[in-house]
Amino acid sequence: MSDTQTEPGAGEALVEIRNVHFARGNRTILNDLSLTIGRGKVTAIMGGSGCGKTTLLNLIGGRLRPVSGRVLVDGLSVPDLNTRDLFELRKRMGMLFQSGALLTDLDVFENVAFPIREHKHLPEPILRNVVLMKLEAVGLRGARDLMPSELSGGMARRVALARTISLEPMMVMYDEPFTGLDPISKGVIAKLIRELNTGLGITSILVSHDVADACAISDYAYLIGNGRIIGQGTPREMQQSAVEEVRQFMEGLPDGPVPYRYPAPDYLDDLLQGDNA
Amino acid sequence: MNSLRRLGQFVIDSVEGLGRATLFFLEVLSGSRKLIRRFELVVQQVFSVGVLTLLIILVAGLFVGMVLGLQGYNTLIKFGAADSLGLLVALSLVRELGPVVTALLFAGRAGSALTAEIGLMKATEQLAGMEMMAVNPIERVIAPRLVAGIIAMPLLAALFSAIGVLGGQLIGVGLLGVDSGVFWSQMQSGVSFHEDILNGVIKSMVFGVVVSWIAVFQGYESVPTSEGVSRATNRTVVYSSLAVLALDFIMTALMFK
Amino acid sequence: MIQKRQLELWVGVFVAAGLLALAMLAFRVGNLAAGAVINPYSVQAEFNDIGGLTVRAPVTLAGVRIGRVSAISLDSSNFEAKVTMELDGRYNNIPVDTSASILTAGLLGAQYVALDPGGATQYLKNGSTIQVTQSALVLEKIISQFLFNFASKTGSHKK
């Protein structure tokens, strides 16, 4: 049930995925998938585990190449970029990994400073101020001297978020930002994602299977299953969808198009086999 | 027939692995060019790879030297040639034991640590995170570690041999009564800089390259789970040790005719 | 996390220690310094038999090492071994009638060239040839000679 007026048109899209096919060995992961990410919007990509959500992020980030189809970011075809152009594009993209992926041998301050040190040559006092501003934006300026091992999961993700925006990218991809967090931390992350979007105009792509939290902050959502899009629309449209697969996911029904039972021989036969053995 | 097919598969996989490892090595070498400007990365790695291996090398060197002194004396005294003890200890260390034992200890301590560290960084997505921040992990993480290993190994081997000779002297002159002057003069007239010491240094440089290469490659290729990292560490130690011993034979045959 | 200064210090200590060990090996264990020869000049000598003499063997005068054997070749015109020696330039007053013998260090040691000075007033220069030479004593020849002499002596006693 999609209202085509609310799906971003080609001119307003920052990321376009067109007819992408991706397979690993014999397994098809994405099958003729097409979607667009609107500029300046928060878009959620939802689906069950292993449906290809993270693969999609890796395709956008240029870490994987599609078997066929087009992946366009800000008009550039990602799989066709050479190494240098790809690296230049990545400086404009941020990615927040599920685990935060902080560098374990650097403290919080150094972690946030890392991209700036690597790519820009700022004098130390200015660098210090930039880093402190980013940490302040996520509310962790006081934690600057802690080591990643001393941070809780939620704090680590916030530091990683500060690091992600240190180069002020045009878009940020969030890989399962809510997974494994307590409700307070979830609320913090959700607040930050929304603030960065409205405050800095950062286009946000949210990959999550946490329906409630993702839909609460998204402008638009896609649901992926079996390598295709099985539903798309604004969060409200998704919740009101009559499509069975969409309903099962949105409402968390244990049985439906995605079966409860793993394929097995007939129950009675299986039990009787045991008697005969 | 099945075992034949499996053997063939093993050979093909090994050759493929060697090819991947070589391409990886070339990639790391070309990524090392930028290290000249960012030498502090190498310095930091020389610390964790060299300085932290120092203790085990010195202790091992001392004991090996002392054992050589003891065993050498026991055998030489039968031929009335105990005066050549210094020469025996020095040549054994400088030509063979220094480079080889250092390389084996290095593989066990520093090599496995390198593999584990890189494997863990891969498993916790730190390498992927760097890629997405447009930082090439090969240049930033791998290359400094490889270069540090190549620098540290010959130095460690020299330290091993030096302290081994002192250990031999401790036992030979101090304990067993060989004359100190004879001990050193026999050694000095018999050990040639070009043929013995230089060849030993070349050996340890080659070992440094090979062990660091294997360690870094195994870490980079490891399966990103805790089991995968542990298996990669295991492979580093085993492959490094075998490679060192095999190369030692080849180099010895070439150098000491 | 170790301080950067401390780290650099330790790495410096490590590298310095390593280089020191290398130097110790080169000079104390090996004989690098002793090999330093100033202004070397080349001198030749021909021997009937050089025995086990090798290149880089020492050349001594009065037991003091003053040079090294730099090359050994066969002179095919008279089937003698031509030995080229590099002598230290500091010792440039060796008479032209000096003799060169191939001796063995100890009973079973390596062989070397020993120079015995003559009394001439002209000195050896670069390219000179030592005329008086004494070949190496080959052990097998000595033993067979000894046995031959012994056999002929005991044989002459037989009636």
PDB file of all heavy atoms in Angstrom, chain B residues 48-83:
ATOM      1  N   SER B  48      55.430  -2.439  20.533  1.00  0.00           N
ATOM      2  CA  SER B  48      54.658  -3.607  20.961  1.00  0.00           C
ATOM      3  C   SER B  48      55.236  -4.895  20.408  1.00  0.00           C
ATOM      4  O   SER B  48      55.065  -5.948  20.985  1.00  0.00           O
ATOM      5  CB  SER B  48      53.192  -3.456  20.566  1.00  0.00           C
ATOM      6  OG  SER B  48      53.080  -3.436  19.180  1.00  0.00           O
ATOM      7  N   VAL B  49      55.941  -4.808  19.297  1.00  0.00           N
ATOM      8  CA  VAL B  49      56.461  -6.028  18.696  1.00  0.00           C
ATOM      9  C   VAL B  49      57.896  -6.301  19.124  1.00  0.00           C
ATOM     10  O   VAL B  49      58.288  -7.430  19.367  1.00  0.00           O
ATOM     11  CB  VAL B  49      56.365  -5.891  17.153  1.00  0.00           C
ATOM     12  CG1 VAL B  49      57.479  -6.613  16.469  1.00  0.00           C
ATOM     13  CG2 VAL B  49      55.050  -6.398  16.670  1.00  0.00           C
ATOM     14  N   GLY B  50      58.689  -5.253  19.264  1.00  0.00           N
ATOM     15  CA  GLY B  50      60.097  -5.425  19.590  1.00  0.00           C
ATOM     16  C   GLY B  50      60.371  -5.357  21.073  1.00  0.00           C
ATOM     17  O   GLY B  50      60.859  -6.305  21.683  1.00  0.00           O
ATOM     18  N   VAL B  51      60.036  -4.237  21.664  1.00  0.00           N
ATOM     19  CA  VAL B  51      60.397  -4.024  23.065  1.00  0.00           C
ATOM     20  C   VAL B  51      59.743  -5.075  23.960  1.00  0.00           C
ATOM     21  O   VAL B  51      60.359  -5.598  24.888  1.00  0.00           O
ATOM     22  CB  VAL B  51      59.990  -2.604  23.520  1.00  0.00           C
ATOM     23  CG1 VAL B  51      60.275  -2.408  24.983  1.00  0.00           C
ATOM     24  CG2 VAL B  51      60.738  -1.572  22.702  1.00  0.00           C
ATOM     25  N   LEU B  52      58.495  -5.420  23.672  1.00  0.00           N
ATOM     26  CA  LEU B  52      57.805  -6.363  24.539  1.00  0.00           C
ATOM     27  C   LEU B  52      58.277  -7.794  24.331  1.00  0.00           C
ATOM     28  O   LEU B  52      58.004  -8.660  25.146  1.00  0.00           O
ATOM     29  CB  LEU B  52      56.294  -6.257  24.337  1.00  0.00           C
ATOM     30  CG  LEU B  52      55.706  -4.902  24.768  1.00  0.00           C
ATOM     31  CD1 LEU B  52      54.214  -4.883  24.566  1.00  0.00           C
ATOM     32  CD2 LEU B  52      56.046  -4.604  26.211  1.00  0.00           C
ATOM     33  N   THR B  53      58.971  -8.070  23.226  1.00  0.00           N
ATOM     34  CA  THR B  53      59.521  -9.411  23.018  1.00  0.00           C
ATOM     35  C   THR B  53      60.930  -9.490  23.595  1.00  0.00           C
ATOM     36  O   THR B  53      61.513 -10.577  23.689  1.00  0.00           O
ATOM     37  CB  THR B  53      59.592  -9.740  21.506  1.00  0.00           C
ATOM     38  OG1 THR B  53      58.399  -9.303  20.892  1.00  0.00           O
ATOM     39  CG2 THR B  53      59.758 -11.218  21.275  1.00  0.00           C
ATOM     40  N   LEU B  54      61.481  -8.348  23.981  1.00  0.00           N
ATOM     41  CA  LEU B  54      62.880  -8.273  24.388  1.00  0.00           C
ATOM     42  C   LEU B  54      63.214  -9.220  25.527  1.00  0.00           C
ATOM     43  O   LEU B  54      64.219  -9.925  25.494  1.00  0.00           O
ATOM     44  CB  LEU B  54      63.187  -6.831  24.800  1.00  0.00           C
ATOM     45  CG  LEU B  54      64.655  -6.428  24.836  1.00  0.00           C
ATOM     46  CD1 LEU B  54      65.299  -6.727  23.508  1.00  0.00           C
ATOM     47  CD2 LEU B  54      64.751  -4.949  25.141  1.00  0.00           C
ATOM     48  N   LEU B  55      62.330  -9.248  26.525  1.00  0.00           N
ATOM     49  CA  LEU B  55      62.653 -10.024  27.718  1.00  0.00           C
ATOM     50  C   LEU B  55      62.833 -11.492  27.401  1.00  0.00           C
ATOM     51  O   LEU B  55      63.823 -12.117  27.792  1.00  0.00           O
ATOM     52  CB  LEU B  55      61.544  -9.834  28.763  1.00  0.00           C
ATOM     53  CG  LEU B  55      61.866 -10.420  30.134  1.00  0.00           C
ATOM     54  CD1 LEU B  55      63.066  -9.724  30.734  1.00  0.00           C
ATOM     55  CD2 LEU B  55      60.662 -10.307  31.059  1.00  0.00           C
ATOM     56  N   ILE B  56      61.880 -12.063  26.653  1.00  0.00           N
ATOM     57  CA  ILE B  56      61.976 -13.488  26.369  1.00  0.00           C
ATOM     58  C   ILE B  56      63.189 -13.796  25.506  1.00  0.00           C
ATOM     59  O   ILE B  56      63.844 -14.824  25.679  1.00  0.00           O
ATOM     60  CB  ILE B  56      60.662 -14.014  25.733  1.00  0.00           C
ATOM     61  CG1 ILE B  56      60.709 -15.525  25.615  1.00  0.00           C
ATOM     62  CG2 ILE B  56      60.407 -13.413  24.389  1.00  0.00           C
ATOM     63  CD1 ILE B  56      59.457 -16.135  25.092  1.00  0.00           C
ATOM     64  N   ILE B  57      63.519 -12.886  24.607  1.00  0.00           N
ATOM     65  CA  ILE B  57      64.690 -13.099  23.748  1.00  0.00           C
ATOM     66  C   ILE B  57      65.968 -13.103  24.581  1.00  0.00           C
ATOM     67  O   ILE B  57      66.837 -13.964  24.416  1.00  0.00           O
ATOM     68  CB  ILE B  57      64.758 -12.005  22.665  1.00  0.00           C
ATOM     69  CG1 ILE B  57      63.591 -12.134  21.707  1.00  0.00           C
ATOM     70  CG2 ILE B  57      66.072 -12.055  21.919  1.00  0.00           C
ATOM     71  CD1 ILE B  57      63.640 -13.355  20.844  1.00  0.00           C
ATOM     72  N   LEU B  58      66.078 -12.139  25.496  1.00  0.00           N
ATOM     73  CA  LEU B  58      67.304 -12.055  26.299  1.00  0.00           C
ATOM     74  C   LEU B  58      67.449 -13.274  27.199  1.00  0.00           C
ATOM     75  O   LEU B  58      68.529 -13.860  27.304  1.00  0.00           O
ATOM     76  CB  LEU B  58      67.304 -10.768  27.130  1.00  0.00           C
ATOM     77  CG  LEU B  58      67.454  -9.476  26.315  1.00  0.00           C
ATOM     78  CD1 LEU B  58      67.368  -8.266  27.210  1.00  0.00           C
ATOM     79  CD2 LEU B  58      68.755  -9.469  25.546  1.00  0.00           C
ATOM     80  N   VAL B  59      66.357 -13.651  27.850  1.00  0.00           N
ATOM     81  CA  VAL B  59      66.433 -14.811  28.745  1.00  0.00           C
ATOM     82  C   VAL B  59      66.762 -16.064  27.951  1.00  0.00           C
ATOM     83  O   VAL B  59      67.632 -16.852  28.327  1.00  0.00           O
ATOM     84  CB  VAL B  59      65.098 -14.973  29.506  1.00  0.00           C
ATOM     85  CG1 VAL B  59      65.076 -16.270  30.271  1.00  0.00           C
ATOM     86  CG2 VAL B  59      64.889 -13.805  30.442  1.00  0.00           C
ATOM     87  N   ALA B  60      66.059 -16.251  26.829  1.00  0.00           N
ATOM     88  CA  ALA B  60      66.317 -17.442  26.014  1.00  0.00           C
ATOM     89  C   ALA B  60      67.744 -17.440  25.501  1.00  0.00           C
ATOM     90  O   ALA B  60      68.425 -18.467  25.523  1.00  0.00           O
ATOM     91  CB  ALA B  60      65.338 -17.486  24.847  1.00  0.00           C
ATOM     92  N   GLY B  61      68.212 -16.276  25.037  1.00  0.00           N
ATOM     93  CA  GLY B  61      69.572 -16.184  24.514  1.00  0.00           C
ATOM     94  C   GLY B  61      70.599 -16.553  25.559  1.00  0.00           C
ATOM     95  O   GLY B  61      71.558 -17.290  25.286  1.00  0.00           O
ATOM     96  N   LEU B  62      70.390 -16.046  26.756  1.00  0.00           N
ATOM     97  CA  LEU B  62      71.328 -16.348  27.834  1.00  0.00           C
ATOM     98  C   LEU B  62      71.397 -17.844  28.080  1.00  0.00           C
ATOM     99  O   LEU B  62      72.476 -18.440  28.139  1.00  0.00           O
ATOM    100  CB  LEU B  62      70.902 -15.612  29.108  1.00  0.00           C
ATOM    101  CG  LEU B  62      71.865 -15.745  30.285  1.00  0.00           C
ATOM    102  CD1 LEU B  62      73.169 -15.028  29.973  1.00  0.00           C
ATOM    103  CD2 LEU B  62      71.244 -15.178  31.551  1.00  0.00           C
ATOM    104  N   PHE B  63      70.244 -18.473  28.203  1.00  0.00           N
ATOM    105  CA  PHE B  63      70.225 -19.902  28.505  1.00  0.00           C
ATOM    106  C   PHE B  63      70.788 -20.736  27.361  1.00  0.00           C
ATOM    107  O   PHE B  63      71.523 -21.706  27.592  1.00  0.00           O
ATOM    108  CB  PHE B  63      68.805 -20.350  28.843  1.00  0.00           C
ATOM    109  CG  PHE B  63      68.434 -20.049  30.264  1.00  0.00           C
ATOM    110  CD1 PHE B  63      67.422 -19.160  30.555  1.00  0.00           C
ATOM    111  CD2 PHE B  63      69.118 -20.650  31.308  1.00  0.00           C
ATOM    112  CE1 PHE B  63      67.094 -18.872  31.871  1.00  0.00           C
ATOM    113  CE2 PHE B  63      68.797 -20.362  32.622  1.00  0.00           C
ATOM    114  CZ  PHE B  63      67.779 -19.467  32.911  1.00  0.00           C
ATOM    115  N   VAL B  64      70.440 -20.354  26.128  1.00  0.00           N
ATOM    116  CA  VAL B  64      70.978 -21.114  24.990  1.00  0.00           C
ATOM    117  C   VAL B  64      72.490 -20.997  24.951  1.00  0.00           C
ATOM    118  O   VAL B  64      73.207 -21.989  24.749  1.00  0.00           O
ATOM    119  CB  VAL B  64      70.354 -20.603  23.665  1.00  0.00           C
ATOM    120  CG1 VAL B  64      71.101 -21.162  22.471  1.00  0.00           C
ATOM    121  CG2 VAL B  64      68.901 -21.011  23.592  1.00  0.00           C
ATOM    122  N   GLY B  65      72.999 -19.789  25.191  1.00  0.00           N
ATOM    123  CA  GLY B  65      74.452 -19.606  25.207  1.00  0.00           C
ATOM    124  C   GLY B  65      75.102 -20.445  26.284  1.00  0.00           C
ATOM    125  O   GLY B  65      76.158 -21.071  26.076  1.00  0.00           O
ATOM    126  N   MET B  66      74.473 -20.476  27.450  1.00  0.00           N
ATOM    127  CA  MET B  66      75.064 -21.245  28.551  1.00  0.00           C
ATOM    128  C   MET B  66      75.048 -22.740  28.237  1.00  0.00           C
ATOM    129  O   MET B  66      76.017 -23.453  28.512  1.00  0.00           O
ATOM    130  CB  MET B  66      74.308 -20.951  29.848  1.00  0.00           C
ATOM    131  CG  MET B  66      74.522 -19.504  30.313  1.00  0.00           C
ATOM    132  SD  MET B  66      74.175 -19.202  32.046  1.00  0.00           S
ATOM    133  CE  MET B  66      72.438 -19.501  32.121  1.00  0.00           C
ATOM    134  N   VAL B  67      73.963 -23.215  27.658  1.00  0.00           N
ATOM    135  CA  VAL B  67      73.895 -24.636  27.300  1.00  0.00           C
ATOM    136  C   VAL B  67      74.946 -24.978  26.256  1.00  0.00           C
ATOM    137  O   VAL B  67      75.606 -26.010  26.343  1.00  0.00           O
ATOM    138  CB  VAL B  67      72.483 -24.982  26.781  1.00  0.00           C
ATOM    139  CG1 VAL B  67      72.480 -26.326  26.093  1.00  0.00           C
ATOM    140  CG2 VAL B  67      71.499 -24.984  27.928  1.00  0.00           C
ATOM    141  N   LEU B  68      75.105 -24.074  25.270  1.00  0.00           N
ATOM    142  CA  LEU B  68      76.134 -24.306  24.255  1.00  0.00           C
ATOM    143  C   LEU B  68      77.508 -24.407  24.921  1.00  0.00           C
ATOM    144  O   LEU B  68      78.324 -25.272  24.571  1.00  0.00           O
ATOM    145  CB  LEU B  68      76.162 -23.160  23.244  1.00  0.00           C
ATOM    146  CG  LEU B  68      75.207 -23.260  22.067  1.00  0.00           C
ATOM    147  CD1 LEU B  68      75.287 -21.997  21.242  1.00  0.00           C
ATOM    148  CD2 LEU B  68      75.535 -24.461  21.215  1.00  0.00           C
ATOM    149  N   GLY B  69      77.735 -23.516  25.887  1.00  0.00           N
ATOM    150  CA  GLY B  69      79.019 -23.555  26.582  1.00  0.00           C
ATOM    151  C   GLY B  69      79.231 -24.894  27.265  1.00  0.00           C
ATOM    152  O   GLY B  69      80.292 -25.522  27.162  1.00  0.00           O
ATOM    153  N   LEU B  70      78.199 -25.358  27.919  1.00  0.00           N
ATOM    154  CA  LEU B  70      78.278 -26.607  28.679  1.00  0.00           C
ATOM    155  C   LEU B  70      78.471 -27.803  27.764  1.00  0.00           C
ATOM    156  O   LEU B  70      79.421 -28.577  27.884  1.00  0.00           O
ATOM    157  CB  LEU B  70      76.970 -26.757  29.468  1.00  0.00           C
ATOM    158  CG  LEU B  70      77.029 -27.451  30.811  1.00  0.00           C
ATOM    159  CD1 LEU B  70      78.093 -26.837  31.688  1.00  0.00           C
ATOM    160  CD2 LEU B  70      75.671 -27.341  31.489  1.00  0.00           C
ATOM    161  N   GLN B  71      77.547 -27.940  26.808  1.00  0.00           N
ATOM    162  CA  GLN B  71      77.595 -29.085  25.908  1.00  0.00           C
ATOM    163  C   GLN B  71      78.828 -29.041  25.024  1.00  0.00           C
ATOM    164  O   GLN B  71      79.468 -30.060  24.756  1.00  0.00           O
ATOM    165  CB  GLN B  71      76.336 -29.107  25.026  1.00  0.00           C
ATOM    166  CG  GLN B  71      75.071 -29.455  25.758  1.00  0.00           C
ATOM    167  CD  GLN B  71      74.944 -30.945  26.006  1.00  0.00           C
ATOM    168  OE1 GLN B  71      75.950 -31.631  26.232  1.00  0.00           O
ATOM    169  NE2 GLN B  71      73.730 -31.438  25.969  1.00  0.00           N
ATOM    170  N   GLY B  72      79.161 -27.831  24.564  1.00  0.00           N
ATOM    171  CA  GLY B  72      80.339 -27.695  23.711  1.00  0.00           C
ATOM    172  C   GLY B  72      81.595 -28.141  24.436  1.00  0.00           C
ATOM    173  O   GLY B  72      82.422 -28.886  23.895  1.00  0.00           O
ATOM    174  N   TYR B  73      81.703 -27.699  25.667  1.00  0.00           N
ATOM    175  CA  TYR B  73      82.883 -28.070  26.452  1.00  0.00           C
ATOM    176  C   TYR B  73      82.986 -29.581  26.611  1.00  0.00           C
ATOM    177  O   TYR B  73      84.052 -30.179  26.436  1.00  0.00           O
ATOM    178  CB  TYR B  73      82.815 -27.385  27.821  1.00  0.00           C
ATOM    179  CG  TYR B  73      84.034 -27.619  28.670  1.00  0.00           C
ATOM    180  CD1 TYR B  73      85.174 -26.830  28.511  1.00  0.00           C
ATOM    181  CD2 TYR B  73      84.055 -28.641  29.616  1.00  0.00           C
ATOM    182  CE1 TYR B  73      86.300 -27.048  29.283  1.00  0.00           C
ATOM    183  CE2 TYR B  73      85.179 -28.870  30.386  1.00  0.00           C
ATOM    184  CZ  TYR B  73      86.293 -28.069  30.228  1.00  0.00           C
ATOM    185  OH  TYR B  73      87.407 -28.291  30.989  1.00  0.00           O
ATOM    186  N   ASN B  74      81.837 -30.216  26.970  1.00  0.00           N
ATOM    187  CA  ASN B  74      81.830 -31.668  27.186  1.00  0.00           C
ATOM    188  C   ASN B  74      82.343 -32.434  25.984  1.00  0.00           C
ATOM    189  O   ASN B  74      83.023 -33.456  26.118  1.00  0.00           O
ATOM    190  CB  ASN B  74      80.406 -32.150  27.519  1.00  0.00           C
ATOM    191  CG  ASN B  74      80.010 -31.775  28.929  1.00  0.00           C
ATOM    192  OD1 ASN B  74      80.876 -31.546  29.773  1.00  0.00           O
ATOM    193  ND2 ASN B  74      78.715 -31.708  29.182  1.00  0.00           N
ATOM    194  N   THR B  75      81.999 -31.953  24.790  1.00  0.00           N
ATOM    195  CA  THR B  75      82.417 -32.666  23.581  1.00  0.00           C
ATOM    196  C   THR B  75      83.848 -32.300  23.187  1.00  0.00           C
ATOM    197  O   THR B  75      84.660 -33.165  22.860  1.00  0.00           O
ATOM    198  CB  THR B  75      81.462 -32.327  22.424  1.00  0.00           C
ATOM    199  OG1 THR B  75      80.130 -32.583  22.842  1.00  0.00           O
ATOM    200  CG2 THR B  75      81.775 -33.173  21.204  1.00  0.00           C
ATOM    201  N   LEU B  76      84.162 -30.986  23.233  1.00  0.00           N
ATOM    202  CA  LEU B  76      85.481 -30.550  22.764  1.00  0.00           C
ATOM    203  C   LEU B  76      86.604 -31.070  23.645  1.00  0.00           C
ATOM    204  O   LEU B  76      87.704 -31.356  23.169  1.00  0.00           O
ATOM    205  CB  LEU B  76      85.545 -29.021  22.712  1.00  0.00           C
ATOM    206  CG  LEU B  76      84.741 -28.341  21.607  1.00  0.00           C
ATOM    207  CD1 LEU B  76      84.784 -26.843  21.783  1.00  0.00           C
ATOM    208  CD2 LEU B  76      85.263 -28.741  20.243  1.00  0.00           C
ATOM    209  N   ILE B  77      86.340 -31.204  24.944  1.00  0.00           N
ATOM    210  CA  ILE B  77      87.415 -31.593  25.869  1.00  0.00           C
ATOM    211  C   ILE B  77      87.928 -32.983  25.520  1.00  0.00           C
ATOM    212  O   ILE B  77      89.079 -33.303  25.763  1.00  0.00           O
ATOM    213  CB  ILE B  77      86.905 -31.510  27.336  1.00  0.00           C
ATOM    214  CG1 ILE B  77      88.068 -31.544  28.319  1.00  0.00           C
ATOM    215  CG2 ILE B  77      85.942 -32.626  27.657  1.00  0.00           C
ATOM    216  CD1 ILE B  77      88.741 -30.244  28.501  1.00  0.00           C
ATOM    217  N   LYS B  78      87.079 -33.807  24.890  1.00  0.00           N
ATOM    218  CA  LYS B  78      87.521 -35.153  24.508  1.00  0.00           C
ATOM    219  C   LYS B  78      88.589 -35.113  23.431  1.00  0.00           C
ATOM    220  O   LYS B  78      89.377 -36.046  23.285  1.00  0.00           O
ATOM    221  CB  LYS B  78      86.331 -35.969  23.986  1.00  0.00           C
ATOM    222  CG  LYS B  78      85.329 -36.305  25.047  1.00  0.00           C
ATOM    223  CD  LYS B  78      84.211 -37.163  24.476  1.00  0.00           C
ATOM    224  CE  LYS B  78      83.051 -37.182  25.457  1.00  0.00           C
ATOM    225  NZ  LYS B  78      81.791 -37.441  24.799  1.00  0.00           N
ATOM    226  N   PHE B  79      88.579 -34.062  22.626  1.00  0.00           N
ATOM    227  CA  PHE B  79      89.586 -33.932  21.564  1.00  0.00           C
ATOM    228  C   PHE B  79      90.683 -32.958  21.958  1.00  0.00           C
ATOM    229  O   PHE B  79      91.483 -32.554  21.131  1.00  0.00           O
ATOM    230  CB  PHE B  79      88.928 -33.443  20.262  1.00  0.00           C
ATOM    231  CG  PHE B  79      87.867 -34.360  19.764  1.00  0.00           C
ATOM    232  CD1 PHE B  79      86.534 -34.130  20.067  1.00  0.00           C
ATOM    233  CD2 PHE B  79      88.199 -35.482  19.016  1.00  0.00           C
ATOM    234  CE1 PHE B  79      85.554 -34.993  19.609  1.00  0.00           C
ATOM    235  CE2 PHE B  79      87.230 -36.337  18.558  1.00  0.00           C
ATOM    236  CZ  PHE B  79      85.905 -36.100  18.852  1.00  0.00           C
ATOM    237  N   GLY B  80      90.695 -32.563  23.204  1.00  0.00           N
ATOM    238  CA  GLY B  80      91.692 -31.606  23.656  1.00  0.00           C
ATOM    239  C   GLY B  80      91.508 -30.250  23.011  1.00  0.00           C
ATOM    240  O   GLY B  80      92.430 -29.438  22.937  1.00  0.00           O
ATOM    241  N   ALA B  81      90.329 -29.996  22.530  1.00  0.00           N
ATOM    242  CA  ALA B  81      90.110 -28.750  21.792  1.00  0.00           C
ATOM    243  C   ALA B  81      89.231 -27.783  22.556  1.00  0.00           C
ATOM    244  O   ALA B  81      88.535 -26.983  21.954  1.00  0.00           O
ATOM    245  CB  ALA B  81      89.482 -29.080  20.435  1.00  0.00           C
ATOM    246  N   ALA B  82      89.285 -27.846  23.886  1.00  0.00           N
ATOM    247  CA  ALA B  82      88.423 -26.964  24.679  1.00  0.00           C
ATOM    248  C   ALA B  82      88.716 -25.497  24.421  1.00  0.00           C
ATOM    249  O   ALA B  82      87.875 -24.642  24.666  1.00  0.00           O
ATOM    250  CB  ALA B  82      88.598 -27.272  26.166  1.00  0.00           C
ATOM    251  N   ASP B  83      89.890 -25.183  23.903  1.00  0.00           N
ATOM    252  CA  ASP B  83      90.221 -23.791  23.613  1.00  0.00           C
ATOM    253  C   ASP B  83      89.340 -23.204  22.532  1.00  0.00           C
ATOM    254  O   ASP B  83      89.223 -21.992  22.411  1.00  0.00           O
ATOM    255  CB  ASP B  83      91.689 -23.680  23.167  1.00  0.00           C
ATOM    256  CG  ASP B  83      92.636 -23.870  24.333  1.00  0.00           C
ATOM    257  OD1 ASP B  83      92.166 -23.836  25.493  1.00  0.00           O
ATOM    258  OD2 ASP B  83      93.838 -24.043  24.090  1.00  0.00           O
TER     259      ASP B  83
END
